[in-house]
Amino acid sequence: MNDDVVIEATGVEKSYGRVRVLTGVDLRVEKGTIFSLLGPNGAGKTTMVRILATLIKADAGSVLVAGHDVARNPVRVRRSISLTGQYAAVDELLTGEENLRMMGRLYHLGRKAAWRRTDELLEAFDLVKASRRPVKTYSGGMRRRLDLAVSLMTRPPVLFLDEPTTGLDPRSRQAMWDVVRDLTVTGTTILLTTQYLEEADRLADRIAVIDHGKVVAQGTPDELKRQVASEYVELVLDDGENYDRALRGLGAAAVHTDPQLRSVSVASDGSPGGFRRILEWVEGQGLAVTRVRVKSPSMDDVFLALTDNPDKSTRSDSVSRKVGI
Ligand SMILES: Nc1ncnc2c1ncn2[C@@H]1O[C@H](COP(=O)(O)OP(=O)(O)OP(=O)(O)O)[C@@H](O)[C@H]1O
Ligand SMILES: [Mg+2]
């Protein structure tokens, strides 16, 4: 394994009984980067994280984490990682402060260092006021923040975060992003799963989309966006009549439509010529348009286009359709 690659999984397979959850997953994560696993519910993200973190064994394939094989040397791997699971795992009867200090001692931080790190984390996750209260009195979001703080007591070489910001309010989510970014500066490698696509977009250096047990796409956020869709031009029509005419005229070329806002979007290659052709078409049809906007695809478009979508008429399917007007 190349020194810069901290997580390397090849051909990972896992089944539960007859349910084939992972059917050959390959991943490579470089040191000091943030890698995000995306995928629909049940796609196998948590299963993959649990395999990487030595909590369960793969049926086939090989996994190296921080230079150690998870099957042959799980103890070594465990010394290099920290994991925050999808569900909170803190002691309800202890206070937030006690939970953190206890975890610090378990990690052999030494009393002074454990207390210092506890104070830092209580501050970072806005838990100072609640720090002396038993965790059983915390709200869901407070527990979640404490759980994250606990997993960050040490600065582990590799950190696994399974849906770290589920249930957090926007400010707490932002705090979490800051802490995570801060960790990569000191060389920590982070693998996170999330259902917040904006989070992956903002935070991740690279993203892998998992569906039906396989990686269906991998790349930087921008690469993935380019892969599923070009830019598109949104037209907002003056009234219902113009909206209907635009829809009829565009036919399958209308990618996103919203009758309430009277907006219709048309895929474009992002070039000035492409933009001009759309405007010329609008003029040629004599359509009354209130507003024209050029838009870029979002991570939502990526997710919807790349993962299985039973309703083929939705925008995920159509967004990649090229237009010939
Ligand atoms: N211990 C288990 N026994 C049986 N089936 C399991 C077990 N753990 C997971 N599964 C199944 O494996 C599949 C993948 O589950 P997993 O938790 O990895 O999905 P996920 O991508 O993390 O989903 P989510 O977004 O909902 O967290 C699901 O069909 C799930 O029911
Ligand atoms: Mg999960």
Side-chain angles (χ1 to χ4, degrees), residues 160-223:
F160 295 106
L161 298 170
D162 194 4
E163 299 204 20
T165 59
T166 296
L168 292 189
D169 64 40
R171 194 188 307 278
S172 307
R173 192 168 302 148
Q174 191 85 50
M176 170 67 200
W177 294 351
D178 290 344
V179 175
V180 166
R181 277 200 203 98
D182 195 42
L183 283 169
T184 61
V185 174
T186 50
T188 296
T189 305
I190 293 162
L191 186 135
L192 97 154
T193 76
T194 181
Q195 293 296 350
Y196 296 102
L197 302 177
E198 191 206 343
E199 178 167 290
D201 198 0
R202 293 239 199 136
L203 214 50
D205 297 295
R206 288 182 72 78
I207 292 172
V209 182
I210 297 194
D211 198 19
H212 296 304
K214 272 207 158 56
V215 174
V216 292
Q218 204 171 153
T220 65
D222 280 346
E223 281 166 2

Side-chain angles (χ1 to χ4, degrees), residues 3-7 28-35 65-66 80-82 155-161 180 183-192:
D3 270 358
D4 290 341
V5 179
V6 174
I7 301 170
R28 279 163 67 88
V29 184
E30 287 186 14
K31 185 174 161 53
T33 64
I34 303 176
F35 191 95
V65 174
S80 314
I81 64 173
S82 179
R155 291 176 179 272
V158 184
L159 177 64
F160 295 106
L161 298 170
V180 166
L183 283 169
T184 61
V185 174
T186 50
T188 296
T189 305
I190 293 162
L191 186 135
L192 97 154

Side-chain angles (χ1 to χ4, degrees), residues 16 19 21 39-48 86 162-163 195:
Y16 287 109
V19 184
V21 181
N41 293 137
K45 302 178 298 294
T46 296
T47 304
M48 190 64 197
Q86 201 166 353
D162 194 4
E163 299 204 20
Q195 293 296 350

Side-chain angles (χ1 to χ4, degrees), residues 40 211-212 300-301 303-318:
D211 198 19
H212 296 304
D300 282 23
D301 294 326
F303 187 89
L304 293 169
L306 292 175
T307 59
D308 206 18
N309 185 349
D311 179 4
K312 294 298 180 194
S313 68
T314 60
R315 65 186 197 159
S316 64
D317 191 44
S318 52

